[in-house]
Amino acid sequence: MLHPNASPLLSLPGAVPAEAPDEGVAAHYGDLFREQRALAGGTGFVDLSHRGVVTVSGPERLSWLHLLLTQHVGELPPGQATEALILSAHGHIEHAVYLVDDGATTWLHTEPGGQEALIAYLESMKFFYRVEVADRTAEFAVVHLPAGSITKTPDGTVVRETPHGRDLFLPRADLESFAAEHGPAVGVLALEALRVEAHRPRLGLETDHRTIPHELGWIGTAVHLEKGCYRGQETVARVHNLGKPPRRLVFLHLDGSEVHLPPHGTPVRLAADGEEGRQLGFITTSARHHELGPIALALVKRNVPVDAELMAGGTAAAQEVVVEP
């Protein structure tokens, strides 16, 4: 049964619907590794039309967002992409947003279904600022073009250009014609494999209710340490200046002889302790990579030795440091 907001591109040949949290778009179109190689080589596009799209307009939009986000956006130049977090009062991650300003409007995309809670928070913080917040998910689809892509951006399209590729805010009505002209379509599993390879965290997978930005390496990319004036900033500054986060993100090379990938939430233990040993963390995302084989990201206790052999469930795992202990 298709997701109620399923992408029209699920009708393309070979399309296999993705599972949570990516319901509504294709996991792949029949050849996962070919699709990964296409993305890594700068060809194809990924349908991310299930992601939430929010706009903030008005003359005070950037100065207002600057007060709410972990990123320095008060003087964000038109066309410059950035990413930011919204934290709880205790510094825990609540939202991750990927944004660009076109000179008149700030465009953000966020996790599928996350736009409603994000908008509710933004609306609650408007006070007397001259800003307008709008849910544009029904009108605009996010489409990802990989780094190195020579695909021409359709005229008038808002674009977030990053080292990892371009995110287009494409009118939903143009999605099928764009796909027909700029294929091949690539599924989200290929993009996820490249994300894991690049050690890039994702809200809801690498995070839980108590994650702070330092644990995931989001300091610098999504958190600007030279600005104050946002909820949770005291925790960010205290941990940065005085302490260490309780957990750290690691990259895992998984035993390639296992048929099944360990799913999100699989316990991580010391290999020497076996499957009955004390849990030291959990798998956040696992993937099959076209060159590296089975790989994963995991969140483990900070004091786990960096050279320790680990087990993800019953699967042997060799770790690489992402966040220093």
Side-chain angles (χ1 to χ4, degrees), residues 7-79:
S7 168
L9 303 193
L10 282 172
S11 63
L12 292 177
V16 174
E19 298 178 353
D22 290 319
E23 301 107 321
V25 295
H28 61 83
Y29 294 89
D31 191 337
L32 177 61
F33 291 151
R34 177 189 60 76
E35 293 170 36
Q36 275 188 43
R37 287 191 290 270
L39 271 195
T43 61
F45 73 92
V46 185
D47 173 15
L48 297 178
S49 61
H50 61 319
R51 291 187 66 80
V53 176
V54 176
T55 58
V56 182
S57 56
E60 297 177 326
R61 66 191 182 283
L62 290 175
S63 59
W64 176 68
L65 286 169
H66 186 77
L67 299 174
L68 305 180
L69 303 180
T70 57
Q71 189 57 271
H72 197 297
V73 298
E75 295 87 35
L76 187 68

Side-chain angles (χ1 to χ4, degrees), residues 208-267:
D208 59 20
H209 67 283
R210 57 193 178 97
T211 306
I212 60 175
H214 316 65
E215 297 178 324
L216 303 182
W218 250 329
I219 301 296
T221 58
V223 178
H224 195 290
L225 289 173
E226 301 304 315
K227 69 166 294 236
C229 301
Y230 61 87
R231 190 173 67 176
Q233 187 263 339
E234 296 84 358
T235 298
V236 170
R238 185 171 65 249
V239 173
H240 180 73
N241 293 321
L242 301 176
K244 295 280 191 176
R247 302 177 295 181
R248 61 185 180 89
L249 189 69
V250 296
F251 176 78
L252 300 178
H253 291 273
L254 303 173
D255 179 0
S257 65
E258 297 289 338
V259 175
H260 299 291
L261 289 172
H264 175 83
T266 299

